[in-house]
Coordinates of all heavy atoms in Angstrom, one line a residue:
K1 N 2.6 10.4 8.2 CA 3.2 9.4 9.1 C 2.8 8.0 8.6 O 3.7 7.1 8.5 CB 2.7 9.5 10.5 CG 3.3 8.6 11.5 CD 2.7 8.8 12.9 CE 3.3 7.8 13.9 NZ 2.8 8.0 15.3
N2 N 1.6 7.8 8.2 CA 1.2 6.5 7.6 C 1.9 6.3 6.2 O 2.3 5.1 5.9 CB -0.3 6.5 7.3 CG -1.1 6.4 8.6 OD1 -0.7 5.8 9.6 ND2 -2.3 6.9 8.6
W3 N 2.1 7.3 5.5 CA 2.8 7.2 4.2 C 4.3 6.8 4.5 O 4.8 5.9 3.7 CB 2.8 8.6 3.5 CG 3.6 8.7 2.3 CD1 3.2 8.3 1.0 CD2 5.0 9.1 2.1 NE1 4.2 8.5 0.1 CE2 5.3 9.0 0.8 CE3 5.9 9.7 3.0 CZ2 6.6 9.4 0.3 CZ3 7.1 10.0 2.5 CH2 7.5 9.9 1.2
V4 N 4.9 7.3 5.5 CA 6.3 6.9 5.8 C 6.4 5.5 6.3 O 7.2 4.7 5.8 CB 6.9 7.9 6.8 CG1 8.3 7.4 7.3 CG2 7.1 9.3 6.2
I5 N 5.5 5.2 7.3 CA 5.7 3.9 8.0 C 5.2 2.7 7.1 O 5.9 1.7 7.0 CB 4.9 3.9 9.3 CG1 5.5 4.9 10.3 CG2 4.9 2.5 10.0 CD1 4.7 5.1 11.6
G6 N 4.0 2.8 6.5 CA 3.5 1.7 5.7 C 3.1 2.1 4.3 O 2.2 1.4 3.7
G7 N 3.8 3.1 3.8 CA 3.4 3.5 2.4 C 3.6 2.5 1.3 O 2.8 2.5 0.4
F8 N 4.6 1.6 1.5 CA 4.8 0.6 0.4 C 3.7 -0.5 0.4 O 3.6 -1.2 -0.6 CB 6.2 -0.1 0.6 CG 7.3 0.7 0.0 CD1 7.2 2.0 -0.3 CD2 8.4 0.0 -0.5 CE1 8.2 2.7 -0.9 CE2 9.5 0.7 -1.1 CZ 9.4 2.1 -1.3
V9 N 2.8 -0.5 1.4 CA 1.7 -1.4 1.3 C 0.4 -0.6 1.3 O -0.7 -1.1 1.5 CB 1.7 -2.4 2.5 CG1 2.8 -3.4 2.4 CG2 1.7 -1.7 3.9
G10 N 0.5 0.7 1.1 CA -0.7 1.5 0.9 C -1.4 1.9 2.1 O -2.6 2.3 2.1
S11 N -0.8 1.9 3.3 CA -1.5 2.2 4.5 C -2.1 3.6 4.6 O -3.0 3.9 5.3 CB -0.6 1.9 5.7 OG 0.5 2.9 5.8
H12 N -1.4 4.6 3.9 CA -1.9 5.9 3.9 C -3.3 6.1 3.1 O -3.9 7.1 3.3 CB -0.9 6.9 3.3 CG -0.4 6.5 1.9 ND1 0.4 5.3 1.7 CD2 -0.5 7.0 0.7 CE1 0.7 5.2 0.5 NE2 0.2 6.2 -0.2
H13 N -3.6 5.1 2.4 CA -4.9 5.1 1.7 C -6.1 4.5 2.5 O -7.2 4.6 2.2 CB -4.8 4.3 0.4 CG -4.1 5.1 -0.7 ND1 -4.7 6.1 -1.4 CD2 -2.9 4.9 -1.2 CE1 -3.8 6.6 -2.2 NE2 -2.7 5.9 -2.2
W14 N -5.7 3.8 3.6 CA -6.7 3.1 4.4 C -7.6 4.2 5.1 O -8.8 4.0 5.3 CB -6.1 2.2 5.5 CG -5.2 1.2 4.9 CD1 -5.2 0.8 3.6 CD2 -4.3 0.3 5.6 NE1 -4.2 -0.2 3.4 CE2 -3.7 -0.5 4.7 CE3 -3.9 0.2 6.9 CZ2 -2.7 -1.5 5.0 CZ3 -2.9 -0.7 7.3 CH2 -2.3 -1.5 6.3
R15 N -7.0 5.3 5.5 CA -7.7 6.4 6.2 C -8.9 6.9 5.4 O -10.0 7.1 5.9 CB -6.7 7.5 6.6 CG -7.3 8.7 7.3 CD -6.3 9.8 7.4 NE -6.8 10.9 8.1 CZ -6.7 11.2 9.4 NH1 -6.0 10.4 10.2 NH2 -7.1 12.3 9.9
N16 N -8.6 7.0 4.1 CA -9.6 7.6 3.2 C -10.4 6.5 2.4 O -11.3 6.8 1.6 CB -9.0 8.5 2.2 CG -8.3 9.7 2.8 OD1 -8.8 10.3 3.8 ND2 -7.1 10.0 2.4
R17 N -10.1 5.3 2.7 CA -10.7 4.1 2.1 C -10.7 4.2 0.5 O -11.7 4.0 -0.1 CB -12.2 4.0 2.6 CG -12.3 3.7 4.1 CD -13.7 3.5 4.6 NE -13.7 3.3 6.0 CZ -14.8 3.1 6.7 NH1 -16.0 3.1 6.1 NH2 -14.8 2.9 8.0
N18 N -9.5 4.4 0.0 CA -9.3 4.4 -1.4 C -9.0 2.9 -1.8 O -7.9 2.5 -1.7 CB -8.2 5.3 -1.8 CG -8.4 6.7 -1.5 OD1 -9.6 7.2 -1.6 ND2 -7.4 7.5 -1.1
Y19 N -10.0 2.2 -2.2 CA -10.0 0.8 -2.3 C -9.0 0.2 -3.3 O -8.3 -0.8 -3.1 CB -11.4 0.2 -2.5 CG -12.3 0.4 -1.3 CD1 -13.3 1.3 -1.4 CD2 -12.1 -0.3 -0.1 CE1 -14.1 1.5 -0.3 CE2 -12.9 -0.1 1.0 CZ -13.9 0.8 0.9 OH -14.7 1.0 2.0
I20 N -8.9 0.9 -4.5 CA -8.0 0.4 -5.6 C -6.6 0.5 -5.1 O -5.8 -0.5 -5.2 CB -8.3 1.1 -6.9 CG1 -9.7 0.8 -7.4 CG2 -7.2 0.8 -7.9 CD1 -10.0 1.5 -8.7
P21 N -6.1 1.6 -4.6 CA -4.7 1.6 -4.1 C -4.5 0.7 -2.9 O -3.4 0.1 -2.8 CB -4.5 3.1 -3.7 CG -5.5 3.9 -4.4 CD -6.7 3.0 -4.6
M22 N -5.5 0.6 -2.1 CA -5.4 -0.3 -0.9 C -5.2 -1.8 -1.3 O -4.5 -2.5 -0.6 CB -6.7 -0.3 -0.1 CG -6.9 1.0 0.8 SD -8.5 1.2 1.5 CE -8.6 -0.3 2.5
I23 N -5.7 -2.1 -2.5 CA -5.5 -3.5 -3.0 C -4.2 -3.6 -3.8 O -3.4 -4.5 -3.7 CB -6.7 -3.9 -3.9 CG1 -7.9 -4.0 -3.1 CG2 -6.4 -5.2 -4.6 CD1 -9.2 -4.2 -3.9
M24 N -3.9 -2.6 -4.7 CA -2.8 -2.6 -5.6 C -1.4 -2.5 -4.9 O -0.5 -3.2 -5.4 CB -2.9 -1.6 -6.7 CG -4.1 -1.8 -7.7 SD -4.0 -3.4 -8.5 CE -2.4 -3.2 -9.3
Y25 N -1.3 -1.7 -3.9 CA -0.1 -1.5 -3.2 C 0.5 -2.8 -2.7 O 1.6 -3.2 -2.9 CB -0.2 -0.5 -2.1 CG 0.3 0.9 -2.5 CD1 -0.6 1.9 -2.8 CD2 1.7 1.2 -2.4 CE1 -0.1 3.2 -3.1 CE2 2.1 2.5 -2.7 CZ 1.3 3.5 -3.0 OH 1.7 4.7 -3.3
P26 N -0.3 -3.6 -1.9 CA 0.2 -4.8 -1.3 C 0.5 -5.9 -2.4 O 1.5 -6.6 -2.3 CB -1.0 -5.3 -0.5 CG -1.7 -4.1 -0.1 CD -1.6 -3.2 -1.3
I27 N -0.3 -5.9 -3.5 CA 0.0 -6.8 -4.6 C 1.3 -6.5 -5.3 O 2.1 -7.4 -5.5 CB -1.2 -6.7 -5.7 CG1 -2.5 -7.3 -5.1 CG2 -0.7 -7.4 -7.0 CD1 -3.6 -7.2 -6.1
L28 N 1.6 -5.2 -5.6 CA 2.9 -4.8 -6.2 C 4.0 -5.1 -5.3 O 5.1 -5.6 -5.7 CB 2.8 -3.3 -6.5 CG 2.0 -3.0 -7.8 CD1 1.9 -1.4 -7.9 CD2 2.6 -3.5 -9.0
F29 N 3.9 -4.8 -4.0 CA 5.0 -5.1 -3.0 C 5.2 -6.5 -2.8 O 6.4 -7.0 -2.7 CB 4.7 -4.4 -1.7 CG 5.8 -4.4 -0.7 CD1 7.0 -3.7 -1.0 CD2 5.8 -5.1 0.5 CE1 8.1 -3.7 -0.2 CE2 6.9 -5.1 1.3 CZ 8.0 -4.4 1.0
A30 N 4.1 -7.3 -2.8 CA 4.3 -8.8 -2.7 C 4.9 -9.3 -3.9 O 5.8 -10.3 -3.8 CB 2.9 -9.4 -2.5
S31 N 4.6 -8.8 -5.1 CA 5.3 -9.2 -6.3 C 6.8 -8.9 -6.3 O 7.6 -9.8 -6.7 CB 4.7 -8.5 -7.5 OG 3.3 -8.7 -7.6
F32 N 7.1 -7.8 -5.7 CA 8.6 -7.5 -5.6 C 9.3 -8.5 -4.7 O 10.4 -9.0 -5.0 CB 8.7 -6.1 -5.0 CG 10.1 -5.8 -4.5 CD1 11.2 -5.6 -5.4 CD2 10.3 -5.7 -3.1 CE1 12.4 -5.4 -4.9 CE2 11.6 -5.4 -2.6 CZ 12.7 -5.3 -3.5
L33 N 8.7 -8.8 -3.6 CA 9.3 -9.8 -2.7 C 9.4 -11.2 -3.3 O 10.4 -11.9 -3.2 CB 8.4 -9.9 -1.4 CG 8.4 -8.7 -0.5 CD1 7.4 -8.9 0.7 CD2 9.8 -8.3 0.0
I34 N 8.4 -11.6 -4.1 CA 8.4 -12.9 -4.7 C 9.5 -12.9 -5.8 O 10.3 -13.9 -5.9 CB 7.0 -13.2 -5.3 CG1 6.0 -13.5 -4.2 CG2 7.1 -14.5 -6.3 CD1 4.6 -13.5 -4.7
F35 N 9.5 -11.9 -6.6 CA 10.5 -11.8 -7.7 C 11.9 -11.7 -7.2 O 12.9 -12.3 -7.8 CB 10.2 -10.7 -8.7 CG 9.0 -10.8 -9.5 CD1 8.1 -9.8 -9.7 CD2 8.6 -12.1 -10.0 CE1 6.9 -10.0 -10.4 CE2 7.5 -12.3 -10.8 CZ 6.6 -11.2 -11.0
S36 N 12.1 -11.0 -6.0 CA 13.4 -10.9 -5.4 C 13.9 -12.3 -4.9 O 15.0 -12.7 -5.1 CB 13.3 -10.0 -4.2 OG 13.0 -8.7 -4.6

């Protein structure tokens, strides 16, 4: 459910505290929005 709703910002990693994906997902998604 977290993967579906907020997967593009890495919300499914928050539950397990996987810090690298928690940081990289929002950076990549923000980059997409900026470049768009």
Side-chain angles (χ1 to χ4, degrees):
K1 183 180 179 180
N2 288 332
W3 176 84
V4 172
I5 295 175
F8 272 28
V9 292
S11 66
H12 52 293
H13 285 286
W14 301 348
R15 180 187 179 97
N16 300 318
R17 297 184 180 179
N18 298 323
Y19 293 107
I20 293 178
M22 283 169 62
I23 295 170
M24 290 304 299
Y25 260 103
I27 290 175
L28 286 171
F29 190 65
S31 299
F32 164 71
L33 295 177
I34 292 169
F35 292 138
S36 296

